[in-house]
Amino acid sequence: MSQHILVSDPKKVQGFTYLCRSAKTTNEAEMNSVGVIPAQWDLFIREGALEPFPSRKSDTILAVYTEYETDETGSYTFGIGTEIAPTDPLPAGMTSYCVAEGTYVVFTTRKGPVSEIVVEAWAYIWEWSKTHKRAFLTDFEVYDERCIDPANSQVDIYISVLE
């Protein structure tokens, strides 16, 4: 599996503000088909993806994991949205979050069907986490121009780590 995932050295990432619709979940709920992530993606697509985000800085989609209760066993907030300016007004039903500047390891998936490559990458990240110190502050997936074709996409997953 690891030959399909490129892992960067830890690097500093500047903080930013993102806007999304969010919901609380746990990895246990997601693995037992009672989680919120598939429904969040369905809602995002039904609403026209980035159309509800008029003040977006780009067309890059972010899937963000934040407000971790503890670690991978606790609850967290999941949201799909995009980066905005910190002063932009919030549309109804949206929440903004600040991703603080921090150190991240970037996992780049292989190219393939987005539904496969992201699950594959998270399985690798969970194994990697057994021997590395995650910060459990904010993690995020970047869906940029490499994801125009959902059958042949490539995603970067930023994992916050302790310095």
Side-chain angles (χ1 to χ4, degrees):
M1 180 180 352
S2 63
Q3 68 271 19
H4 297 303
I5 306 212
L6 179 64
V7 182
S8 75
D9 289 331
K11 66 180 184 178
K12 280 282 194 193
V13 173
Q14 288 186 341
F16 60 90
T17 302
Y18 73 97
L19 179 67
C20 67
R21 291 197 192 284
S22 63
K24 281 282 199 193
T25 191
T26 64
N27 285 337
E28 181 180 3
E30 296 303 325
M31 287 184 226
N32 290 311
S33 300
V34 293
V36 301
I37 293 175
Q40 289 287 93
W41 277 108
D42 288 345
L43 177 62
F44 182 77
I45 292 165
R46 268 197 329 269
E47 289 185 338
L50 291 174
E51 291 309 312
F53 302 90
S55 60
R56 66 186 177 268
K57 285 189 160 187
S58 72
D59 287 338
T60 298
I61 297 167
L62 301 174
V64 182
Y65 304 77
T66 192
E67 298 180 333
Y68 285 97
E69 177 184 47
T70 53
D71 54 20
E72 70 274 3
T73 63
S75 67
Y76 56 89
T77 299
F78 174 81
I80 304 170
T82 192
E83 185 177 357
I84 62 167
T87 56
D88 287 346
L90 298 181
M94 300 282 183
T95 306
S96 70
Y97 293 93
C98 293
V99 175
E101 178 178 302
T103 302
Y104 291 81
V105 172
V106 182
F107 295 81
T108 302
T109 68
R110 65 179 172 87
K111 288 186 177 182
V114 73
S115 60
E116 289 178 17
I117 61 173
V118 173
V119 170
E120 179 182 88
W122 275 106
Y124 181 82
I125 291 165
W126 291 329
E127 280 300 311
W128 175 90
S129 297
K130 292 177 181 177
T131 57
H132 295 80
K133 300 286 186 193
R134 287 181 59 189
F136 292 100
L137 298 174
T138 301
D139 305 315
F140 55 96
E141 301 163 357
V142 177
Y143 297 85
D144 54 21
E145 65 278 351
R146 298 170 298 162
C147 298
I148 291 173
D149 177 4
N152 189 31
S153 293
Q154 188 171 42
V155 176
D156 289 332
I157 302 176
Y158 286 69
I159 300 296
S160 59
V161 294
L162 297 173
E163 297 184 49

PDB file of all heavy atoms in Angstrom, residues 110-145:
ATOM      1  N   ARG A 110      -2.239   8.071  -4.663  1.00  0.00           N
ATOM      2  CA  ARG A 110      -2.015   7.689  -6.051  1.00  0.00           C
ATOM      3  C   ARG A 110      -3.169   8.277  -6.863  1.00  0.00           C
ATOM      4  O   ARG A 110      -4.134   8.795  -6.291  1.00  0.00           O
ATOM      5  CB  ARG A 110      -1.998   6.157  -6.178  1.00  0.00           C
ATOM      6  CG  ARG A 110      -3.341   5.506  -5.851  1.00  0.00           C
ATOM      7  CD  ARG A 110      -3.291   3.994  -6.021  1.00  0.00           C
ATOM      8  NE  ARG A 110      -4.495   3.376  -5.526  1.00  0.00           N
ATOM      9  CZ  ARG A 110      -5.612   3.185  -6.235  1.00  0.00           C
ATOM     10  NH1 ARG A 110      -5.678   3.590  -7.489  1.00  0.00           N
ATOM     11  NH2 ARG A 110      -6.669   2.600  -5.707  1.00  0.00           N
ATOM     12  N   LYS A 111      -3.116   8.196  -8.167  1.00  0.00           N
ATOM     13  CA  LYS A 111      -4.245   8.604  -9.006  1.00  0.00           C
ATOM     14  C   LYS A 111      -5.205   7.433  -9.112  1.00  0.00           C
ATOM     15  O   LYS A 111      -4.786   6.276  -9.236  1.00  0.00           O
ATOM     16  CB  LYS A 111      -3.782   9.014 -10.400  1.00  0.00           C
ATOM     17  CG  LYS A 111      -3.059  10.326 -10.411  1.00  0.00           C
ATOM     18  CD  LYS A 111      -2.753  10.766 -11.818  1.00  0.00           C
ATOM     19  CE  LYS A 111      -2.080  12.124 -11.782  1.00  0.00           C
ATOM     20  NZ  LYS A 111      -1.807  12.623 -13.120  1.00  0.00           N
ATOM     21  N   GLY A 112      -6.502   7.749  -9.051  1.00  0.00           N
ATOM     22  CA  GLY A 112      -7.512   6.709  -9.161  1.00  0.00           C
ATOM     23  C   GLY A 112      -8.870   7.234  -8.763  1.00  0.00           C
ATOM     24  O   GLY A 112      -9.053   8.443  -8.569  1.00  0.00           O
ATOM     25  N   PRO A 113      -9.857   6.335  -8.627  1.00  0.00           N
ATOM     26  CA  PRO A 113     -11.206   6.748  -8.214  1.00  0.00           C
ATOM     27  C   PRO A 113     -11.150   7.378  -6.821  1.00  0.00           C
ATOM     28  O   PRO A 113     -10.601   6.784  -5.887  1.00  0.00           O
ATOM     29  CB  PRO A 113     -11.998   5.444  -8.207  1.00  0.00           C
ATOM     30  CG  PRO A 113     -11.200   4.500  -9.066  1.00  0.00           C
ATOM     31  CD  PRO A 113      -9.767   4.916  -8.910  1.00  0.00           C
ATOM     32  N   VAL A 114     -11.699   8.574  -6.690  1.00  0.00           N
ATOM     33  CA  VAL A 114     -11.576   9.325  -5.440  1.00  0.00           C
ATOM     34  C   VAL A 114     -12.102   8.539  -4.238  1.00  0.00           C
ATOM     35  O   VAL A 114     -11.522   8.596  -3.158  1.00  0.00           O
ATOM     36  CB  VAL A 114     -12.216  10.725  -5.570  1.00  0.00           C
ATOM     37  CG1 VAL A 114     -13.724  10.657  -5.586  1.00  0.00           C
ATOM     38  CG2 VAL A 114     -11.715  11.643  -4.490  1.00  0.00           C
ATOM     39  N   SER A 115     -13.168   7.776  -4.426  1.00  0.00           N
ATOM     40  CA  SER A 115     -13.726   7.014  -3.308  1.00  0.00           C
ATOM     41  C   SER A 115     -12.779   5.916  -2.828  1.00  0.00           C
ATOM     42  O   SER A 115     -12.822   5.522  -1.669  1.00  0.00           O
ATOM     43  CB  SER A 115     -15.083   6.411  -3.691  1.00  0.00           C
ATOM     44  OG  SER A 115     -14.924   5.545  -4.797  1.00  0.00           O
ATOM     45  N   GLU A 116     -11.899   5.454  -3.675  1.00  0.00           N
ATOM     46  CA  GLU A 116     -10.916   4.435  -3.291  1.00  0.00           C
ATOM     47  C   GLU A 116      -9.650   5.044  -2.713  1.00  0.00           C
ATOM     48  O   GLU A 116      -9.145   4.582  -1.695  1.00  0.00           O
ATOM     49  CB  GLU A 116     -10.523   3.583  -4.510  1.00  0.00           C
ATOM     50  CG  GLU A 116     -11.582   2.657  -5.005  1.00  0.00           C
ATOM     51  CD  GLU A 116     -11.122   1.891  -6.240  1.00  0.00           C
ATOM     52  OE1 GLU A 116      -9.885   1.831  -6.516  1.00  0.00           O
ATOM     53  OE2 GLU A 116     -11.994   1.355  -6.941  1.00  0.00           O
ATOM     54  N   ILE A 117      -9.124   6.060  -3.382  1.00  0.00           N
ATOM     55  CA  ILE A 117      -7.810   6.577  -3.001  1.00  0.00           C
ATOM     56  C   ILE A 117      -7.813   7.269  -1.646  1.00  0.00           C
ATOM     57  O   ILE A 117      -6.838   7.189  -0.909  1.00  0.00           O
ATOM     58  CB  ILE A 117      -7.215   7.491  -4.091  1.00  0.00           C
ATOM     59  CG1 ILE A 117      -8.098   8.712  -4.334  1.00  0.00           C
ATOM     60  CG2 ILE A 117      -6.962   6.698  -5.368  1.00  0.00           C
ATOM     61  CD1 ILE A 117      -7.513   9.760  -5.261  1.00  0.00           C
ATOM     62  N   VAL A 118      -8.908   7.929  -1.301  1.00  0.00           N
ATOM     63  CA  VAL A 118      -8.972   8.617  -0.006  1.00  0.00           C
ATOM     64  C   VAL A 118      -9.072   7.599   1.127  1.00  0.00           C
ATOM     65  O   VAL A 118      -8.367   7.713   2.135  1.00  0.00           O
ATOM     66  CB  VAL A 118     -10.127   9.642   0.024  1.00  0.00           C
ATOM     67  CG1 VAL A 118     -10.312  10.230   1.414  1.00  0.00           C
ATOM     68  CG2 VAL A 118      -9.860  10.755  -0.993  1.00  0.00           C
ATOM     69  N   VAL A 119      -9.906   6.579   0.959  1.00  0.00           N
ATOM     70  CA  VAL A 119     -10.017   5.522   1.983  1.00  0.00           C
ATOM     71  C   VAL A 119      -8.678   4.810   2.139  1.00  0.00           C
ATOM     72  O   VAL A 119      -8.221   4.542   3.257  1.00  0.00           O
ATOM     73  CB  VAL A 119     -11.147   4.536   1.612  1.00  0.00           C
ATOM     74  CG1 VAL A 119     -11.129   3.317   2.520  1.00  0.00           C
ATOM     75  CG2 VAL A 119     -12.496   5.235   1.674  1.00  0.00           C
ATOM     76  N   GLU A 120      -8.027   4.512   1.036  1.00  0.00           N
ATOM     77  CA  GLU A 120      -6.717   3.862   1.057  1.00  0.00           C
ATOM     78  C   GLU A 120      -5.701   4.727   1.806  1.00  0.00           C
ATOM     79  O   GLU A 120      -4.924   4.233   2.629  1.00  0.00           O
ATOM     80  CB  GLU A 120      -6.262   3.636  -0.384  1.00  0.00           C
ATOM     81  CG  GLU A 120      -4.914   2.999  -0.544  1.00  0.00           C
ATOM     82  CD  GLU A 120      -4.568   2.871  -2.025  1.00  0.00           C
ATOM     83  OE1 GLU A 120      -3.992   3.827  -2.599  1.00  0.00           O
ATOM     84  OE2 GLU A 120      -4.877   1.824  -2.608  1.00  0.00           O
ATOM     85  N   ALA A 121      -5.711   6.024   1.545  1.00  0.00           N
ATOM     86  CA  ALA A 121      -4.759   6.930   2.192  1.00  0.00           C
ATOM     87  C   ALA A 121      -5.008   7.013   3.694  1.00  0.00           C
ATOM     88  O   ALA A 121      -4.063   6.991   4.485  1.00  0.00           O
ATOM     89  CB  ALA A 121      -4.839   8.321   1.559  1.00  0.00           C
ATOM     90  N   TRP A 122      -6.276   7.089   4.107  1.00  0.00           N
ATOM     91  CA  TRP A 122      -6.565   7.151   5.542  1.00  0.00           C
ATOM     92  C   TRP A 122      -6.164   5.855   6.236  1.00  0.00           C
ATOM     93  O   TRP A 122      -5.677   5.875   7.368  1.00  0.00           O
ATOM     94  CB  TRP A 122      -8.027   7.509   5.799  1.00  0.00           C
ATOM     95  CG  TRP A 122      -8.230   8.999   5.766  1.00  0.00           C
ATOM     96  CD1 TRP A 122      -8.821   9.731   4.773  1.00  0.00           C
ATOM     97  CD2 TRP A 122      -7.802   9.940   6.755  1.00  0.00           C
ATOM     98  NE1 TRP A 122      -8.787  11.071   5.095  1.00  0.00           N
ATOM     99  CE2 TRP A 122      -8.175  11.218   6.309  1.00  0.00           C
ATOM    100  CE3 TRP A 122      -7.143   9.819   7.976  1.00  0.00           C
ATOM    101  CZ2 TRP A 122      -7.912  12.375   7.044  1.00  0.00           C
ATOM    102  CZ3 TRP A 122      -6.878  10.979   8.707  1.00  0.00           C
ATOM    103  CH2 TRP A 122      -7.256  12.230   8.242  1.00  0.00           C
ATOM    104  N   ALA A 123      -6.333   4.720   5.598  1.00  0.00           N
ATOM    105  CA  ALA A 123      -5.880   3.453   6.194  1.00  0.00           C
ATOM    106  C   ALA A 123      -4.368   3.514   6.412  1.00  0.00           C
ATOM    107  O   ALA A 123      -3.858   3.100   7.463  1.00  0.00           O
ATOM    108  CB  ALA A 123      -6.260   2.278   5.304  1.00  0.00           C
ATOM    109  N   TYR A 124      -3.648   4.053   5.441  1.00  0.00           N
ATOM    110  CA  TYR A 124      -2.200   4.202   5.571  1.00  0.00           C
ATOM    111  C   TYR A 124      -1.855   5.179   6.695  1.00  0.00           C
ATOM    112  O   TYR A 124      -0.955   4.928   7.506  1.00  0.00           O
ATOM    113  CB  TYR A 124      -1.599   4.679   4.242  1.00  0.00           C
ATOM    114  CG  TYR A 124      -0.114   4.820   4.311  1.00  0.00           C
ATOM    115  CD1 TYR A 124       0.718   3.710   4.166  1.00  0.00           C
ATOM    116  CD2 TYR A 124       0.475   6.056   4.561  1.00  0.00           C
ATOM    117  CE1 TYR A 124       2.098   3.831   4.261  1.00  0.00           C
ATOM    118  CE2 TYR A 124       1.849   6.189   4.657  1.00  0.00           C
ATOM    119  CZ  TYR A 124       2.650   5.075   4.503  1.00  0.00           C
ATOM    120  OH  TYR A 124       4.011   5.210   4.605  1.00  0.00           O
ATOM    121  N   ILE A 125      -2.578   6.298   6.769  1.00  0.00           N
ATOM    122  CA  ILE A 125      -2.325   7.311   7.807  1.00  0.00           C
ATOM    123  C   ILE A 125      -2.546   6.715   9.201  1.00  0.00           C
ATOM    124  O   ILE A 125      -1.768   6.971  10.123  1.00  0.00           O
ATOM    125  CB  ILE A 125      -3.198   8.560   7.575  1.00  0.00           C
ATOM    126  CG1 ILE A 125      -2.718   9.295   6.311  1.00  0.00           C
ATOM    127  CG2 ILE A 125      -3.195   9.477   8.798  1.00  0.00           C
ATOM    128  CD1 ILE A 125      -3.691  10.323   5.756  1.00  0.00           C
ATOM    129  N   TRP A 126      -3.591   5.911   9.371  1.00  0.00           N
ATOM    130  CA  TRP A 126      -3.836   5.303  10.691  1.00  0.00           C
ATOM    131  C   TRP A 126      -2.691   4.369  11.077  1.00  0.00           C
ATOM    132  O   TRP A 126      -2.294   4.309  12.237  1.00  0.00           O
ATOM    133  CB  TRP A 126      -5.179   4.586  10.731  1.00  0.00           C
ATOM    134  CG  TRP A 126      -6.343   5.543  10.662  1.00  0.00           C
ATOM    135  CD1 TRP A 126      -6.393   6.827  11.137  1.00  0.00           C
ATOM    136  CD2 TRP A 126      -7.611   5.300  10.075  1.00  0.00           C
ATOM    137  NE1 TRP A 126      -7.616   7.384  10.878  1.00  0.00           N
ATOM    138  CE2 TRP A 126      -8.384   6.473  10.222  1.00  0.00           C
ATOM    139  CE3 TRP A 126      -8.179   4.208   9.433  1.00  0.00           C
ATOM    140  CZ2 TRP A 126      -9.688   6.569   9.774  1.00  0.00           C
ATOM    141  CZ3 TRP A 126      -9.478   4.314   8.986  1.00  0.00           C
ATOM    142  CH2 TRP A 126     -10.220   5.484   9.149  1.00  0.00           C
ATOM    143  N   GLU A 127      -2.152   3.632  10.117  1.00  0.00           N
ATOM    144  CA  GLU A 127      -0.989   2.779  10.405  1.00  0.00           C
ATOM    145  C   GLU A 127       0.232   3.643  10.723  1.00  0.00           C
ATOM    146  O   GLU A 127       0.956   3.377  11.674  1.00  0.00           O
ATOM    147  CB  GLU A 127      -0.678   1.852   9.219  1.00  0.00           C
ATOM    148  CG  GLU A 127      -1.556   0.637   9.144  1.00  0.00           C
ATOM    149  CD  GLU A 127      -1.441  -0.250  10.379  1.00  0.00           C
ATOM    150  OE1 GLU A 127      -0.317  -0.568  10.800  1.00  0.00           O
ATOM    151  OE2 GLU A 127      -2.499  -0.611  10.928  1.00  0.00           O
ATOM    152  N   TRP A 128       0.460   4.666   9.943  1.00  0.00           N
ATOM    153  CA  TRP A 128       1.567   5.586  10.139  1.00  0.00           C
ATOM    154  C   TRP A 128       1.481   6.226  11.525  1.00  0.00           C
ATOM    155  O   TRP A 128       2.497   6.418  12.199  1.00  0.00           O
ATOM    156  CB  TRP A 128       1.522   6.634   9.025  1.00  0.00           C
ATOM    157  CG  TRP A 128       2.512   7.741   9.116  1.00  0.00           C
ATOM    158  CD1 TRP A 128       3.761   7.763   8.578  1.00  0.00           C
ATOM    159  CD2 TRP A 128       2.330   9.015   9.748  1.00  0.00           C
ATOM    160  NE1 TRP A 128       4.369   8.967   8.844  1.00  0.00           N
ATOM    161  CE2 TRP A 128       3.513   9.752   9.563  1.00  0.00           C
ATOM    162  CE3 TRP A 128       1.285   9.596  10.455  1.00  0.00           C
ATOM    163  CZ2 TRP A 128       3.675  11.037  10.052  1.00  0.00           C
ATOM    164  CZ3 TRP A 128       1.441  10.880  10.946  1.00  0.00           C
ATOM    165  CH2 TRP A 128       2.619  11.585  10.744  1.00  0.00           C
ATOM    166  N   SER A 129       0.267   6.539  11.964  1.00  0.00           N
ATOM    167  CA  SER A 129       0.042   7.203  13.253  1.00  0.00           C
ATOM    168  C   SER A 129       0.480   6.354  14.444  1.00  0.00           C
ATOM    169  O   SER A 129       0.707   6.891  15.527  1.00  0.00           O
ATOM    170  CB  SER A 129      -1.440   7.561  13.414  1.00  0.00           C
ATOM    171  OG  SER A 129      -1.833   8.481  12.425  1.00  0.00           O
ATOM    172  N   LYS A 130       0.599   5.069  14.253  1.00  0.00           N
ATOM    173  CA  LYS A 130       1.029   4.199  15.359  1.00  0.00           C
ATOM    174  C   LYS A 130       2.479   4.461  15.758  1.00  0.00           C
ATOM    175  O   LYS A 130       2.863   4.165  16.881  1.00  0.00           O
ATOM    176  CB  LYS A 130       0.849   2.731  14.976  1.00  0.00           C
ATOM    177  CG  LYS A 130      -0.605   2.325  14.848  1.00  0.00           C
ATOM    178  CD  LYS A 130      -0.720   0.880  14.404  1.00  0.00           C
ATOM    179  CE  LYS A 130      -2.181   0.482  14.250  1.00  0.00           C
ATOM    180  NZ  LYS A 130      -2.308  -0.903  13.754  1.00  0.00           N
ATOM    181  N   THR A 131       3.261   5.030  14.844  1.00  0.00           N
ATOM    182  CA  THR A 131       4.678   5.273  15.127  1.00  0.00           C
ATOM    183  C   THR A 131       5.075   6.748  14.992  1.00  0.00           C
ATOM    184  O   THR A 131       6.258   7.071  15.076  1.00  0.00           O
ATOM    185  CB  THR A 131       5.572   4.429  14.194  1.00  0.00           C
ATOM    186  OG1 THR A 131       5.242   4.737  12.834  1.00  0.00           O
ATOM    187  CG2 THR A 131       5.380   2.937  14.455  1.00  0.00           C
ATOM    188  N   HIS A 132       4.110   7.633  14.773  1.00  0.00           N
ATOM    189  CA  HIS A 132       4.377   9.065  14.634  1.00  0.00           C
ATOM    190  C   HIS A 132       3.404   9.842  15.513  1.00  0.00           C
ATOM    191  O   HIS A 132       2.302   9.374  15.799  1.00  0.00           O
ATOM    192  CB  HIS A 132       4.236   9.500  13.175  1.00  0.00           C
ATOM    193  CG  HIS A 132       5.250   8.880  12.276  1.00  0.00           C
ATOM    194  ND1 HIS A 132       5.135   7.602  11.789  1.00  0.00           N
ATOM    195  CD2 HIS A 132       6.410   9.367  11.785  1.00  0.00           C
ATOM    196  CE1 HIS A 132       6.182   7.327  11.036  1.00  0.00           C
ATOM    197  NE2 HIS A 132       6.978   8.378  11.013  1.00  0.00           N
ATOM    198  N   LYS A 133       3.777  11.044  15.920  1.00  0.00           N
ATOM    199  CA  LYS A 133       2.984  11.865  16.843  1.00  0.00           C
ATOM    200  C   LYS A 133       2.107  12.862  16.097  1.00  0.00           C
ATOM    201  O   LYS A 133       2.581  13.890  15.624  1.00  0.00           O
ATOM    202  CB  LYS A 133       3.903  12.623  17.810  1.00  0.00           C
ATOM    203  CG  LYS A 133       4.753  11.722  18.661  1.00  0.00           C
ATOM    204  CD  LYS A 133       3.927  11.072  19.727  1.00  0.00           C
ATOM    205  CE  LYS A 133       4.833  10.277  20.664  1.00  0.00           C
ATOM    206  NZ  LYS A 133       4.112   9.409  21.523  1.00  0.00           N
ATOM    207  N   ARG A 134       0.833  12.526  15.998  1.00  0.00           N
ATOM    208  CA  ARG A 134      -0.125  13.466  15.416  1.00  0.00           C
ATOM    209  C   ARG A 134      -0.521  14.493  16.467  1.00  0.00           C
ATOM    210  O   ARG A 134      -0.572  14.207  17.656  1.00  0.00           O
ATOM    211  CB  ARG A 134      -1.371  12.726  14.930  1.00  0.00           C
ATOM    212  CG  ARG A 134      -1.121  11.919  13.678  1.00  0.00           C
ATOM    213  CD  ARG A 134      -2.351  11.215  13.179  1.00  0.00           C
ATOM    214  NE  ARG A 134      -3.435  12.142  12.874  1.00  0.00           N
ATOM    215  CZ  ARG A 134      -4.670  11.745  12.587  1.00  0.00           C
ATOM    216  NH1 ARG A 134      -4.973  10.457  12.556  1.00  0.00           N
ATOM    217  NH2 ARG A 134      -5.611  12.622  12.334  1.00  0.00           N
ATOM    218  N   ALA A 135      -0.862  15.689  16.031  1.00  0.00           N
ATOM    219  CA  ALA A 135      -1.276  16.755  16.940  1.00  0.00           C
ATOM    220  C   ALA A 135      -2.779  16.724  17.217  1.00  0.00           C
ATOM    221  O   ALA A 135      -3.223  17.227  18.234  1.00  0.00           O
ATOM    222  CB  ALA A 135      -0.878  18.114  16.377  1.00  0.00           C
ATOM    223  N   PHE A 136      -3.569  16.180  16.297  1.00  0.00           N
ATOM    224  CA  PHE A 136      -5.024  16.156  16.407  1.00  0.00           C
ATOM    225  C   PHE A 136      -5.584  17.563  16.635  1.00  0.00           C
ATOM    226  O   PHE A 136      -6.426  17.781  17.489  1.00  0.00           O
ATOM    227  CB  PHE A 136      -5.494  15.178  17.489  1.00  0.00           C
ATOM    228  CG  PHE A 136      -5.227  13.755  17.121  1.00  0.00           C
ATOM    229  CD1 PHE A 136      -4.136  13.083  17.642  1.00  0.00           C
ATOM    230  CD2 PHE A 136      -6.037  13.096  16.218  1.00  0.00           C
ATOM    231  CE1 PHE A 136      -3.860  11.770  17.280  1.00  0.00           C
ATOM    232  CE2 PHE A 136      -5.783  11.781  15.845  1.00  0.00           C
ATOM    233  CZ  PHE A 136      -4.691  11.121  16.386  1.00  0.00           C
ATOM    234  N   LEU A 137      -5.078  18.523  15.845  1.00  0.00           N
ATOM    235  CA  LEU A 137      -5.600  19.883  15.865  1.00  0.00           C
ATOM    236  C   LEU A 137      -6.561  20.043  14.702  1.00  0.00           C
ATOM    237  O   LEU A 137      -7.764  20.092  14.886  1.00  0.00           O
ATOM    238  CB  LEU A 137      -4.465  20.899  15.802  1.00  0.00           C
ATOM    239  CG  LEU A 137      -3.496  20.845  16.983  1.00  0.00           C
ATOM    240  CD1 LEU A 137      -2.321  21.787  16.757  1.00  0.00           C
ATOM    241  CD2 LEU A 137      -4.228  21.180  18.268  1.00  0.00           C
ATOM    242  N   THR A 138      -6.025  20.128  13.495  1.00  0.00           N
ATOM    243  CA  THR A 138      -6.836  20.182  12.283  1.00  0.00           C
ATOM    244  C   THR A 138      -6.101  19.420  11.198  1.00  0.00           C
ATOM    245  O   THR A 138      -4.897  19.594  11.015  1.00  0.00           O
ATOM    246  CB  THR A 138      -7.072  21.632  11.830  1.00  0.00           C
ATOM    247  OG1 THR A 138      -7.727  22.337  12.887  1.00  0.00           O
ATOM    248  CG2 THR A 138      -7.932  21.692  10.587  1.00  0.00           C
ATOM    249  N   ASP A 139      -6.820  18.562  10.502  1.00  0.00           N
ATOM    250  CA  ASP A 139      -6.309  17.838   9.345  1.00  0.00           C
ATOM    251  C   ASP A 139      -7.223  18.188   8.177  1.00  0.00           C
ATOM    252  O   ASP A 139      -8.395  18.512   8.388  1.00  0.00           O
ATOM    253  CB  ASP A 139      -6.322  16.329   9.594  1.00  0.00           C
ATOM    254  CG  ASP A 139      -5.556  15.940  10.857  1.00  0.00           C
ATOM    255  OD1 ASP A 139      -4.447  16.461  11.061  1.00  0.00           O
ATOM    256  OD2 ASP A 139      -6.066  15.117  11.625  1.00  0.00           O
ATOM    257  N   PHE A 140      -6.697  18.147   6.966  1.00  0.00           N
ATOM    258  CA  PHE A 140      -7.579  18.482   5.841  1.00  0.00           C
ATOM    259  C   PHE A 140      -7.128  17.812   4.556  1.00  0.00           C
ATOM    260  O   PHE A 140      -5.956  17.533   4.349  1.00  0.00           O
ATOM    261  CB  PHE A 140      -7.705  20.002   5.652  1.00  0.00           C
ATOM    262  CG  PHE A 140      -6.411  20.755   5.493  1.00  0.00           C
ATOM    263  CD1 PHE A 140      -5.923  21.069   4.234  1.00  0.00           C
ATOM    264  CD2 PHE A 140      -5.695  21.177   6.600  1.00  0.00           C
ATOM    265  CE1 PHE A 140      -4.750  21.781   4.079  1.00  0.00           C
ATOM    266  CE2 PHE A 140      -4.517  21.894   6.458  1.00  0.00           C
ATOM    267  CZ  PHE A 140      -4.035  22.200   5.196  1.00  0.00           C
ATOM    268  N   GLU A 141      -8.128  17.555   3.716  1.00  0.00           N
ATOM    269  CA  GLU A 141      -7.924  16.988   2.383  1.00  0.00           C
ATOM    270  C   GLU A 141      -8.092  18.111   1.374  1.00  0.00           C
ATOM    271  O   GLU A 141      -8.999  18.942   1.506  1.00  0.00           O
ATOM    272  CB  GLU A 141      -8.969  15.910   2.100  1.00  0.00           C
ATOM    273  CG  GLU A 141      -8.946  14.768   3.087  1.00  0.00           C
ATOM    274  CD  GLU A 141     -10.192  13.898   3.080  1.00  0.00           C
ATOM    275  OE1 GLU A 141     -11.152  14.202   2.324  1.00  0.00           O
ATOM    276  OE2 GLU A 141     -10.210  12.926   3.838  1.00  0.00           O
ATOM    277  N   VAL A 142      -7.234  18.125   0.356  1.00  0.00           N
ATOM    278  CA  VAL A 142      -7.262  19.166  -0.670  1.00  0.00           C
ATOM    279  C   VAL A 142      -7.701  18.538  -1.994  1.00  0.00           C
ATOM    280  O   VAL A 142      -7.036  17.661  -2.526  1.00  0.00           O
ATOM    281  CB  VAL A 142      -5.886  19.841  -0.823  1.00  0.00           C
ATOM    282  CG1 VAL A 142      -5.909  20.863  -1.951  1.00  0.00           C
ATOM    283  CG2 VAL A 142      -5.466  20.474   0.496  1.00  0.00           C
ATOM    284  N   TYR A 143      -8.837  19.014  -2.485  1.00  0.00           N
ATOM    285  CA  TYR A 143      -9.384  18.573  -3.770  1.00  0.00           C
ATOM    286  C   TYR A 143      -9.244  19.742  -4.739  1.00  0.00           C
ATOM    287  O   TYR A 143     -10.054  20.660  -4.740  1.00  0.00           O
ATOM    288  CB  TYR A 143     -10.854  18.174  -3.612  1.00  0.00           C
ATOM    289  CG  TYR A 143     -11.045  16.992  -2.690  1.00  0.00           C
ATOM    290  CD1 TYR A 143     -11.141  17.160  -1.305  1.00  0.00           C
ATOM    291  CD2 TYR A 143     -11.126  15.707  -3.202  1.00  0.00           C
ATOM    292  CE1 TYR A 143     -11.299  16.075  -0.459  1.00  0.00           C
ATOM    293  CE2 TYR A 143     -11.299  14.613  -2.364  1.00  0.00           C
ATOM    294  CZ  TYR A 143     -11.378  14.807  -0.993  1.00  0.00           C
ATOM    295  OH  TYR A 143     -11.528  13.731  -0.162  1.00  0.00           O
ATOM    296  N   ASP A 144      -8.200  19.713  -5.554  1.00  0.00           N
ATOM    297  CA  ASP A 144      -7.903  20.805  -6.472  1.00  0.00           C
ATOM    298  C   ASP A 144      -8.107  20.355  -7.920  1.00  0.00           C
ATOM    299  O   ASP A 144      -8.878  19.417  -8.184  1.00  0.00           O
ATOM    300  CB  ASP A 144      -6.498  21.353  -6.225  1.00  0.00           C
ATOM    301  CG  ASP A 144      -5.424  20.266  -6.280  1.00  0.00           C
ATOM    302  OD1 ASP A 144      -5.660  19.187  -6.873  1.00  0.00           O
ATOM    303  OD2 ASP A 144      -4.328  20.502  -5.729  1.00  0.00           O
ATOM    304  N   GLU A 145      -7.407  20.992  -8.848  1.00  0.00           N
ATOM    305  CA  GLU A 145      -7.592  20.684 -10.274  1.00  0.00           C
ATOM    306  C   GLU A 145      -7.278  19.228 -10.612  1.00  0.00           C
ATOM    307  O   GLU A 145      -7.719  18.719 -11.635  1.00  0.00           O
ATOM    308  CB  GLU A 145      -6.754  21.626 -11.150  1.00  0.00           C
ATOM    309  CG  GLU A 145      -5.254  21.482 -11.000  1.00  0.00           C
ATOM    310  CD  GLU A 145      -4.652  22.211  -9.798  1.00  0.00           C
ATOM    311  OE1 GLU A 145      -5.360  22.997  -9.133  1.00  0.00           O
ATOM    312  OE2 GLU A 145      -3.463  21.975  -9.510  1.00  0.00           O
TER     313      GLU A 145
END
